Amino acid sequence: MGDKGFSALRPVLCFASFIVTLHLVNGDLSYSIPEEMKRDSVIGNIAKDLGLDLRTLSSRKVRVDFEGTRKRYCDINLSTGDLITSEIIDRESLCGKKPSCVLKVDLVLENPLELHRLSLHIQDVNDNSPKFKKNLIEMEIRESSEKGNRFSIEEAHDADIGQNAIQRYNLQKNDNFILAVDSNKVELVLENKLDREKQRELNLLLAALDGGSPQRSGTVVIHVTVLDANDNAPVFNQAVYKTSLPENSPPDTIVISVSATDADEGVNGDVTYDFGHVSDEDINVFSIDPKTGEIRVTGVIDFEEISSFEMRVQAKDGLGLTSYAKVIIDVTDINDNAPVIYLKSLSDPIPENASPGTEVGIINVQDRDSESNGQVRCSIQQNAPFKLVPSIKNYYSLVTTGQLDRELVSDYNITITATDEGSPPLSSSKTVQLSVADINDNPPVFEEQSYSAYVTENNKPGSTLCSVSARDPDWRQLFTIGVHSGEIRTQRDISESDSMKQNLIVAVKDNGQPSLSATCSMYLLISDNLAEVPELKDISYDEKNSKLTSYLIIALVSVSTFFLTFIIIILGVRFCRRRKPRLLFDGAVAIPSAYLPPNYADVDGTGTLRSTYNYDAYLTTGSRTSDFKFVSSYNDNTLPADQTLRKSPTDFADPFEDLEESVEVGTF
């Protein structure tokens, strides 16, 4: 394969899309996300996946805690409920070569305390190219080497795992060597014998390719110098070396010694040792003696950071023949970390009327050690009315055990002690300062049960008779009111511990004899943002307000109905007015009673009819001079039943003209 053929092996920059998957198992959430996600990328919606009310996330102080690491890989957007990345997650730095990389996250909510375990499965992406330790490998091979001889080549390293790790090797086509690869090693196989006189040096291009999409590759040049016979490569006495090392081992501690032998003599049998591929984290932790093969500690060994090391060591003879072995170092934990106490939440101050069992604070204790070294017990001093109640995992609730009285003890210094079960055990303490808030639970008390005073006669008005004094052990109060103005003012700063709901009883009295008084209740809601106060959404009105509202609605409907009815009547009268001549003179028709107002009738100056009656008369075309009678009335000023009213045609029309005028001006 020529140089052009290897152009396809060069790394290619690509973009791939990934899907974040969610699994809900036993009440805990499990997300699967790719590594290298950008900051503020959305992992999932915590509120939706856990069925939480988005409006309560802030009030319940939702947060995420990480165990065993100082980094914060993700956080919660309180406005949307989204779990977002707060920094780029590198799977290789987090889990190395482990096939499964899971980041454990605790989701904590308060009021009430609630804990959910989140598991972030970090999926590998093809973000690392295969890489050889050196860009050039020097090899010296004697021309006497037989066909089929094998020469070990140091493997390339790819920090990715699975399909994204190294999948195959390619050797540039040449006349002498082919490539043999198995699960443990990469070897050059001599296919045709070398001829030093024909060619003293060869340059072979070896490429390592991963299985990602698009594919990444790394190359190394193998420079072969053709020499005379070096028939045997060094051989390690073990293929795999395993040992254990306590953490915090001091520098220069001998970890293990490796050994390899070479059957050749002289310079061909001289073996030197070196590390094969070592990660950037391990390169500064260990060193190997090139002559003796001793591996020593040169850096910090911390079990909490790295619990095991895996390295490859190389043995090379004087003419460049090499072999490799694996070294596995397990780090053992020692009790070198004292427990750390975190105060996650504290209700300070606490009202003195808090009932026993009231949760005051939330404590979290962490110990970075493992197994028994990381098991922690918590306690507090016995002389305080508080106790620790184990909650979830390493969380404790600090609760009251008795009734508090601010007038007796106004402040508490609570010392919390955490002790692990290591040998020897380590402990740490934290002091929590807690204040007791006053409530108005003590009435004023006069200094004397009764007072006696002697008054002289003829004393001047305004003279002092006696003085009385009273005391109240309570602290200054939940407001003050102006004696004459009625203004309610705050007397001190309102703290976070004050109740959001305040109930004030206001009394007012006059100066009459006897003095009369009245009281009213005032409910106050204290909040920085009234939109977040749930009580405002559920305010119910009393029965009087409800009745008043009903009356207002009925009145509004009545007025509207009356107005619409009036408009309809006006329109009806105007319509009938246009049809009046036909109603009076075209055939036998009835005069509608709506044309005669109930209190309207002009009977020869005798006055109006007092009864609210409607009078209907039936006329024909020839009835212009006919007589008609009114119904008799109890009023003396009205016409008797036996009297008739005779009108001429011209007189007969006048009342209706008056009626038309009265309708137009709206007199009825």
Side-chain angles (χ1 to χ4, degrees), residues 84-334:
I84 60 175
T85 58
S86 55
E87 67 180 73
I88 295 177
I89 301 176
D90 185 13
R91 194 205 66 82
E92 289 74 34
S93 299
L94 191 63
C95 300
K97 280 290 191 179
K98 293 180 181 179
S100 176
C101 185
V102 181
L103 183 62
K104 299 293 186 179
V105 184
D106 289 336
L107 177 67
V108 183
L109 299 95
E110 298 180 15
N111 301 321
L113 179 62
E114 186 176 351
L115 176 67
H116 295 274
R117 171 59 64 90
L118 306 182
S119 298
L120 302 183
H121 295 263
I122 312 301
Q123 302 298 324
D124 183 45
V125 299
N126 194 22
D127 58 339
N128 294 282
S129 298
K131 184 178 181 181
F132 290 89
K133 181 182 178 182
K134 300 178 181 179
N135 294 327
L136 178 65
I137 298 177
E138 293 282 354
M139 296 187 67
E140 297 176 345
I141 303 176
R142 291 192 179 275
E143 63 178 345
S144 59
S145 299
E146 297 293 334
K147 292 177 56 176
N149 284 359
R150 293 173 176 257
F151 307 93
S152 295
I153 302 296
E154 181 181 355
E155 298 175 359
H157 174 75
D158 193 329
D160 295 323
I161 63 171
Q163 189 67 22
N164 295 326
I166 296 174
Q167 300 297 317
R168 61 190 178 94
Y169 291 84
N170 281 341
L171 179 65
Q172 182 182 10
K173 187 174 182 181
N174 63 91
D175 296 331
N176 300 100
F177 294 93
I178 60 174
L179 195 64
V181 181
D182 59 23
S183 58
N184 296 321
K185 55 188 174 180
V186 179
E187 295 178 320
L188 290 178
V189 180
L190 187 60
E191 187 177 40
N192 296 310
K193 293 195 65 171
L194 298 172
D195 188 346
R196 185 175 180 274
E197 288 69 31
K198 183 183 291 186
Q199 189 174 11
R200 294 187 177 186
E201 296 179 343
L202 292 85
N203 286 323
L204 306 177
L205 184 62
L206 177 63
L209 301 94
D210 62 21
S213 177
Q215 196 173 56
R216 291 178 177 265
S217 64
T219 60
V220 65
V221 175
I222 304 174
H223 181 260
V224 180
T225 302
V226 181
L227 299 176
D228 289 328
N230 180 23
D231 301 325
N232 298 283
V235 178
F236 281 98
N237 57 8
Q238 292 179 227
V240 178
Y241 293 86
K242 296 191 68 173
T243 187
S244 61
L245 178 69
E247 66 171 327
N248 298 334
S249 295
D252 210 34
T253 299
I254 297 177
V255 181
I256 196 173
S257 295
V258 298
S259 177
T261 58
D262 194 317
D264 294 324
E265 295 181 354
V267 68
N268 296 331
D270 291 338
V271 178
T272 58
Y273 302 95
D274 194 6
F275 285 124
H277 178 80
V278 180
S279 66
D280 296 336
E281 292 81 7
D282 300 347
I283 193 66
N284 297 320
V285 180
F286 301 101
S287 66
I288 187 169
D289 190 301
K291 295 296 183 182
T292 64
E294 287 182 347
I295 298 177
R296 295 175 179 265
V297 175
T298 58
V300 178
I301 307 296
D302 190 349
F303 174 85
E304 287 71 37
E305 294 294 335
I306 302 178
S307 60
S308 66
F309 297 89
E310 183 175 316
M311 301 172 290
R312 290 177 65 84
V313 292
Q314 167 190 282
K316 182 178 180 180
D317 64 18
L319 294 181
L321 296 182
T322 59
S323 62
Y324 295 90
K326 182 184 293 185
V327 177
I328 299 175
I329 303 173
D330 292 325
V331 181
T332 57
D333 182 39
I334 65 173

Side-chain angles (χ1 to χ4, degrees), residues 66 69-73 87 93:
F66 294 82
T69 179
R70 298 181 179 91
K71 295 183 178 180
R72 291 188 63 84
Y73 293 103
E87 67 180 73
S93 299

